[in-house]
Amino acid sequence: MNKKIDNLAADNIRALAISMVEKANSGHPGGAMGGADFLHILYTEYLKFDPTEMDWSFRDRFFMDAGHLSALMYSQYYLLGNYKKEDLQSFRQWGSVTPGHPEVDVLRGIENTSGPLGQGHAMGVGAAIAAKFLEARFKGIFNHKIYGFITDGGVQEEISQGAGRIAGHLGLNNFIMFYDSNDVQLSSMTDEVTSENTAMKYEAWGWKVITIDGHDHEQIRKALNEANEESEKPTLIIGKTIMGKGCVTTNGDIYEGECELHGKPIGDTKADYVKTLLNLGANPENPFAIYEDVATHYDKIKAKKSEEAAYKKHHVATWKKENPALAQKMDSFLSGKLPELDLSNVVQKANAATRDASSAVLAYLAEHVENMIVSSADLSNSDKTDGFLKKSSVLQKNDFSGAFLQAGVAELTMTSIANGIALHGGVIPVVATFFVFSDYMKPAIRLAAIQELPVKYVLTHDSFRVGEDGPTHQPIEQEAQMRLLEKIKNHSGHQSLLALRPADAIETSVAWDMALKNTTTPTALILSRQNIKDIPAIGTSRYEEATEAKKGGYLVKSTPNPDITLIANGSEVATLLEAAIILEKEKNLTINVASIISEGLFKSQPKAYQESIIPKGKLVFGLTAGLPVNLEGLIGDSGKIVGLEHFGYSAPASVLDQKFGFTSESVCTEILNYIEENK
């Protein structure tokens, strides 16, 4: 170690960070200046990775929580050669690879998209769980570390409660988090917001806590050494740092630790940008330069990292030769390739609730997919993920041989952890809760959509038919919210989420097949609490016919030249089928009925196919247990939708069907009125 070069490198990072913000006239310089010492020491001396293969599966990983400190990350990775000078100069600009908040870009060192505080470190917890899960199956191979970086804001976000509790409970000694504690927030000092003892809080959750001077490199090393030696607990390193470390005024006076240094360019504060650059050893005429001695040092560091990685690669290669069957399985896990599955073999009970149908599929998957972790927010016996649990066991401290995570009542934490599991790779995450509580999950679902992560959401109790639990538990607007993400394109140009609400048990098996094969975006399975009458087969195989759901929508009842087409998804499809039978018998109408399991997927089909299901210019009637907007994009200009435009009430589901007009008889009346209006 060389104290002089380490200080110089940290100052170089500070100079680069403030120069990025200054040129962009936008960003957060102060925290980046405070965290520079820790990041430099971590990356040069502790983090194990291969600079020539940044996506190497057996690397240590760094999860940033405080996405507003992106300038810190980009500056650090610039020293490592992952970014060019031009990239830093185009910070926060259109088309740049250095956006205002970091977006997952593993080849440049960015392991996760962060910005909404709290989620980044929860994803780190998820990655640590994935590593433990894999290490339990491939001993001595996935023993790498996951590092996190959090700030005062992330500690305050409620999600830190769930992430801290779960990490401590599971004894994630492979998770080491640095808390950049500088006592300054964006609009206030921290003591104006909280007086809690953070160290005691994390210790109560079962963490090892070390408090250090976050600018003292020896203390940083000592803390990281202790953390890496810890065998029972995750570690929180509380680094007392200085906001805007190194800032000076025009007169050369120290100007540090001030609130205004948090969220605007140095030149817009009482500090002086040029004088601060000079104080940090930078050349104001060339502020994006890497100092000569620092460049030489980092060249040596990169060579050493590659050399160290070569030893681990040799170890993995030797292990593969000695364990060919396990090696094949491991490679399969890491490739994301599924084993051969045939969900048509899943036996479904007649007229089952789709949550029960999902349970049958999960039981099958527990026996056929070895790299799946299923989580439930204290609802496994209600969301029926216990179908999986009964064939597996719960993840617990010192025993990750199971595959079920009892997350407790922490939907947002659970969903963010699933994102981290997906980001780590090698493991398929599934999370479950009641559909109404997807409201708690939404921020993490959104980040999964942005990061294009194939997380599976099991969302049960999907309508007002939850019944006696009343309006707090009856989802009315949630389907509309979920389907909005089907309408939003991700940066790859695809719909950012696949939302599937199957019409019966067999269609649920098909929906699960669709979810498993969707490896590029998250999937939501929206499932009923109550039993649903099976959709009768038109031919000999209901499963074969239900595979048409893979086009987003298909006819479950087909007649040439229909007088009207009825459309729905979920349990309302069976109601429409009953109504169609009544109307054909009593009114001599010809009727088609369509199950539109996913509007987004359906609308991605050729126009000719869409119009073969929902004829253009013909009568179309839609039924939804949620907001009418759920079907507005499907019915055309003259169609009619019967939906729900108010919150639910506490009563048995059958009573609510009567009161809200969701019986086949009530629907018949609505359909006839619609036909009469359009004669």
Side-chain angles (χ1 to χ4, degrees):
M1 62 192 71
N2 183 321
K3 187 173 182 180
K4 180 180 178 182
I5 197 68
D6 288 329
N7 287 330
L8 193 61
D11 280 346
N12 200 167
I13 292 170
R14 293 183 179 100
L16 291 167
I18 66 171
S19 296
M20 293 170 70
V21 174
E22 201 73 19
K23 188 173 190 304
N25 195 29
S26 173
H28 300 260
M33 300 176 81
D37 295 289
F38 177 79
L39 222 61
H40 164 70
I41 297 297
L42 175 68
Y43 267 87
T44 56
E45 299 181 28
Y46 290 88
L47 203 77
K48 297 174 182 176
F49 63 99
D50 184 353
T52 67
E53 188 185 355
M54 292 297 292
D55 58 349
W56 179 44
S57 296
F58 309 102
R59 68 191 181 277
D60 289 346
R61 289 155 171 83
F62 175 81
F63 277 75
M64 174 59 83
D65 190 287
H68 59 281
L69 299 187
S70 59
L72 169 62
M73 300 179 74
Y74 302 145
S75 298
Q76 176 66 73
Y77 300 150
Y78 176 42
L79 299 188
L80 288 165
N82 295 356
Y83 289 93
K84 298 177 294 185
K85 180 186 287 188
E86 293 76 19
D87 296 329
L88 271 63
Q89 290 172 327
S90 60
F91 177 55
R92 288 183 164 235
Q93 304 309 301
W94 173 261
S96 77
V97 294
T98 48
H101 289 80
E103 298 171 19
V104 62
D105 186 353
V106 173
L107 293 179
R108 289 189 173 89
I110 310 293
E111 297 284 355
N112 64 294
T113 296
S114 55
L117 293 178
Q119 290 195 55
H121 82 292
M123 286 186 263
V125 170
I129 290 171
K132 285 280 189 182
F133 176 92
L134 292 167
E135 175 65 11
R137 287 149 179 81
F138 311 104
K139 303 290 186 185
I141 302 299
F142 291 92
N143 53 2
H144 51 268
K145 299 290 185 181
I146 311 298
Y147 293 90
F149 189 109
I150 198 167
T151 56
D152 292 297
V155 168
Q156 289 164 29
E157 278 287 357
E158 292 90 336
I159 191 174
S160 69
Q161 154 80 25
R165 171 181 57 80
I166 290 172
H169 178 68
L170 293 177
L172 297 179
N173 67 303
N174 60 339
F175 187 58
I176 300 166
M177 183 162 68
F178 180 76
Y179 168 26
D180 185 55
S181 177
N182 56 35
D183 300 325
V184 181
Q185 303 195 187
L186 181 62
S187 65
S188 70
M189 302 303 287
T190 304
D191 61 9
E192 297 176 52
V193 175
T194 181
S195 55
E196 72 178 9
N197 188 316
T198 302
M200 289 179 68
K201 180 173 71 172
Y202 276 84
E203 285 170 352
W205 287 330
W207 287 57
K208 179 186 186 72
V209 179
I210 306 167
T211 301
I212 63 170
D213 176 345
H215 300 300
D216 185 316
H217 295 180
E218 284 305 311
Q219 290 189 41
I220 293 171
R221 290 185 181 100
K222 186 174 184 295
L224 284 170
N225 288 338
E226 288 183 31
N228 275 278
E229 291 166 4
E230 173 59 46
S231 61
E232 295 291 324
K233 301 175 179 180
T235 298
L236 179 70
I237 300 171
I238 301 177
K240 301 304 294 184
T241 61
I242 299 171
M243 172 68 70
K245 172 71 171 173
C247 283
V248 295
T249 65
T250 306
N251 297 326
D253 297 331
I254 296 295
Y255 186 76
E256 301 172 335
E258 299 295 332
C259 186
E260 70 168 346
L261 296 171
H262 189 298
K264 57 184 177 179
I266 296 300
D268 291 347
T269 72
K270 294 183 184 68
D272 185 89
Y273 168 61
V274 171
K275 289 294 178 66
T276 297
L277 283 177
L278 292 169
N279 187 50
L280 296 170
N283 177 4
E285 298 298 318
N286 190 12
F288 291 95
I290 299 176
Y291 305 165
E292 186 176 343
D293 289 348
V294 173
T296 301
H297 180 63
Y298 266 83
D299 284 341
K300 293 176 182 176
I301 290 296
K302 287 185 286 183
K304 185 179 179 182
K305 293 290 181 186
S306 293
E307 185 179 326
E308 290 171 347
Y311 284 108
K312 179 63 181 276
K313 289 181 179 182
H314 177 72
H315 169 66
V316 173
T318 301
W319 177 88
K320 283 186 171 184
K321 287 180 181 178
E322 294 172 351
N323 302 276
L326 277 176
Q328 186 177 15
K329 182 184 291 186
M330 182 181 74
D331 289 342
S332 176
F333 285 8
L334 293 174
S335 73
K337 184 180 179 182
L338 285 167
E340 290 295 325
L341 301 173
D342 186 355
L343 298 191
S344 68
N345 289 331
V346 176
V347 177
Q348 295 290 8
K349 293 180 180 179
N351 305 316
T354 52
R355 65 167 175 163
D356 292 321
S358 172
S359 183
V361 174
L362 283 166
Y364 173 89
L365 295 178
E367 295 181 326
H368 291 84
V369 181
E370 296 182 62
N371 62 326
M372 178 177 283
I373 293 178
V374 177
S375 309
S376 178
D378 194 39
L379 291 169
S380 57
N381 55 348
S382 290
D383 57 36
K384 298 302 180 181
T385 48
D386 59 358
F388 186 94
L389 177 57
K390 289 170 184 175
K391 301 288 182 73
S392 182
S393 60
V394 174
L395 299 174
Q396 52 191 313
K397 185 176 182 178
N398 297 323
D399 183 4
F400 281 74
S401 60
F404 198 95
L405 174 61
Q406 291 285 21
V409 187
E411 292 87 356
L412 175 57
T413 301
M414 172 182 71
T415 312
S416 287
I417 283 174
N419 288 347
I421 291 172
L423 285 165
H424 181 280
V427 187
I428 301 167
V430 178
V431 300
T433 187
F434 291 171
F435 190 26
V436 76
F437 299 140
S438 65
D439 285 351
Y440 286 119
M441 300 163 64
K442 178 60 165 43
I445 293 175
R446 186 172 189 269
L447 276 192
I450 288 173
Q451 295 177 96
E452 304 179 22
L453 302 177
V455 183
K456 323 300 177 191
Y457 310 115
V458 176
L459 305 169
T460 69
H461 296 57
D462 70 347
S463 73
F464 64 80
R465 298 180 185 91
V466 172
E468 292 88 343
D469 280 333
T472 60
H473 282 54
Q474 294 173 20
I476 304 301
E477 76 278 18
Q478 279 72 22
E479 184 179 350
Q481 292 171 178
M482 195 64 65
R483 293 203 183 278
L484 281 175
L485 286 170
E486 283 200 315
K487 300 176 189 295
I488 298 173
K489 293 286 194 295
N490 58 31
H491 286 171
S492 294
H494 304 130
Q495 64 185 84
S496 68
L497 177 139
L498 178 63
L500 305 172
R501 188 167 178 247
D504 68 355
I506 296 298
E507 202 173 290
T508 303
S509 292
V510 172
W512 258 112
D513 188 58
M514 295 166 69
L516 290 165
K517 289 174 180 173
N518 178 23
T519 59
T520 57
T521 69
T523 303
L525 295 151
I526 304 169
L527 308 170
S528 75
R529 177 201 188 195
Q530 80 286 356
N531 291 345
I532 300 174
K533 288 185 179 179
D534 289 336
I535 306 300
I538 297 172
T540 57
S541 171
R542 168 64 186 137
Y543 187 90
E544 189 63 32
E545 290 162 11
T547 60
E548 289 295 295
K550 294 178 180 181
K551 297 175 183 174
Y554 68 109
L555 293 174
V556 297
K557 181 182 179 304
S558 179
T559 308
N561 300 314
D563 295 314
I564 187 172
T565 298
L566 311 182
I567 66 170
N569 58 47
S571 51
E572 290 86 275
V573 176
T575 304
L576 289 180
L577 275 171
E578 287 184 354
I581 291 168
I582 293 170
L583 291 172
E584 286 188 334
K585 182 178 180 181
E586 297 182 2
K587 301 297 181 180
N588 201 31
L589 294 169
T590 55
I591 300 175
N592 280 359
V593 181
S595 172
I596 311 296
I597 193 172
S598 163
E599 179 187 352
L601 189 56
F602 180 70
K603 285 195 161 185
S604 72
Q605 304 303 316
K607 287 289 184 185
Y609 178 77
Q610 293 183 48
E611 291 179 11
S612 73
I613 306 302
I614 305 175
K616 192 173 183 180
K618 300 293 184 69
L619 296 182
V620 181
F621 178 92
L623 181 68
T624 174
L627 295 174
V629 72
N630 290 339
L631 300 176
E632 281 181 3
L634 296 166
I635 60 163
D637 295 334
S638 59
K640 179 176 182 178
I641 303 168
V642 169
L644 210 58
E645 296 181 300
H646 55 76
F647 292 120
Y649 293 87
S650 178
S654 58
V655 173
L656 294 177
D657 270 331
Q658 292 284 342
K659 296 293 185 181
F660 295 163
F662 279 79
T663 64
S664 55
E665 294 79 10
S666 296
V667 172
C668 282
T669 300
E670 293 282 0
I671 292 170
L672 289 173
N673 289 340
Y674 168 57
I675 292 173
E676 187 65 27
E677 291 167 2
N678 285 272
K679 278 187 176 178

